[in-house]
Amino acid sequence: MRSPSALLLALALGACANSDAPRDPDTASRLRVASTAESQGQMDVALSMYGAAAARDPNNPEVQARFAGALMRSGNMRQAEQVLAAAVERSPNARPLMVTLGRLRLRNGAAGEALGLFDRVLASEPRNVDALDGRGVALDLMGRHPEAQEAYRRAQAVDPDRISVANNLGLSLLLDGRPDEARAVLEPLARRSDAPQRVTANYGISLAATGDVAAARNVLGEEGGDVRALGESFRTNRQVIEVTPGDGRS
């Protein structure tokens, strides 16, 4: 069985949202193709196009962050680190780079360093949803669940429809030993047509944690393992889930 720190990144961590459009039309076109290819599971094509966009626009922090994020999602952490290091050297205070670097630090187990990066972003942009979400994940990994929940709720106040933030809030409540509240957050989320598998998994865990083992087994299926033991682990607030990298998609 995986641990609250393994489940946390497996089911919580999302990538940076990329809202700033690049000015170069060729770069923008490459990014559109890359995003479409990635959504269709064609990661080699996606990385090629992200890399071409990054090479064409080396001084655009948003483009560099998107390339690094894609490398992280593909598991290529070393190259992502290299891309980010070069980009940060050129633009040391760029918020997209700090957020992406913070997420890389989370995946490497350096939650304290990640928290510092997210807080730097929030010092100049307190309503940055990606930084608030990342701050919450870092605090959850450090066992500071009430503070994490505050960060997620601040993010929700800015973007109430962001599914990754609500998912992370539900998981944080589970880790905090508050399964009834977690279930209340996750149940409507799991019914959304755009809910990813990690949301369904968290909802199933919340069912088990509130004692509805049959419903949890129905939701989790073969993936649920020992559903009763899983639910009990959250009811007693035992840290039983290890942290593994998630897909990094918001």
Side-chain angles (χ1 to χ4, degrees):
M1 187 180 293
R2 295 198 282 170
S3 111
S5 346
L7 187 64
L8 181 56
L9 284 190
L11 300 180
L13 190 59
C16 336
N18 300 297
S19 56
D20 298 335
R23 297 186 183 91
D24 188 310
D26 287 340
T27 298
S29 177
R30 286 183 172 92
L31 291 176
R32 284 195 297 272
V33 172
S35 181
T36 299
E38 185 174 1
S39 71
Q40 296 173 350
Q42 299 175 336
M43 201 64 194
D44 288 347
V45 174
L47 286 174
S48 175
M49 298 307 293
Y50 280 126
R56 184 177 179 87
D57 204 351
N59 294 315
N60 187 317
E62 184 68 32
V63 175
Q64 301 305 311
R66 291 185 69 171
F67 181 33
L71 289 166
M72 289 162 58
R73 293 190 291 276
S74 71
N76 195 336
M77 302 301 174
R78 180 175 296 180
Q79 189 178 354
E81 180 86 48
Q82 292 170 347
V83 169
L84 286 172
V88 167
E89 188 172 339
R90 291 189 293 266
S91 306
N93 296 311
R95 290 187 291 271
L97 296 176
M98 285 191 280
V99 169
T100 306
L101 185 58
R103 294 184 181 278
L104 182 60
R105 293 290 175 261
L106 287 177
R107 290 170 184 250
N108 291 338
E113 291 180 28
L115 182 61
L117 288 162
F118 296 131
D119 281 346
R120 280 179 60 190
V121 173
L122 293 168
S124 59
E125 190 180 347
R127 289 169 59 84
N128 186 301
V129 174
D130 295 313
L132 287 166
D133 191 33
R135 185 175 202 274
V137 175
L139 289 165
D140 270 328
L141 289 171
M142 298 167 74
R144 295 160 60 180
H145 305 306
E147 293 173 79
Q149 291 150 30
E150 179 188 9
Y152 298 134
R153 294 191 194 280
R154 285 172 58 194
Q156 284 186 311
V158 179
D159 188 353
D161 293 326
R162 181 78 72 90
I163 197 166
S164 61
V165 174
N167 174 66
N168 290 351
L169 173 60
L171 181 54
S172 181
L173 290 164
L174 279 171
L175 294 172
D176 201 18
R178 298 157 67 185
D180 292 300
E181 294 172 68
R183 179 174 175 174
V185 169
L186 293 166
E187 188 162 5
L189 204 63
R191 290 176 179 159
R192 284 177 50 168
S193 60
D194 58 344
Q197 180 57 39
R198 64 182 178 273
V199 171
T200 304
N202 283 348
Y203 173 51
I205 293 167
S206 75
L207 290 170
T210 54
D212 199 343
V213 175
R217 196 169 280 124
N218 185 55
V219 169
L220 295 171
E222 295 293 328
E223 300 297 318
D226 189 344
V227 172
R228 191 180 299 278
L230 183 62
E232 179 61 24
S233 70
F234 280 101
R235 281 197 297 277
T236 57
N237 198 25
R238 284 188 280 120
Q239 300 281 306
V240 292
I241 301 173
E242 282 156 53
V243 184
T244 56
D247 65 5
R249 301 302 299 268
S250 291

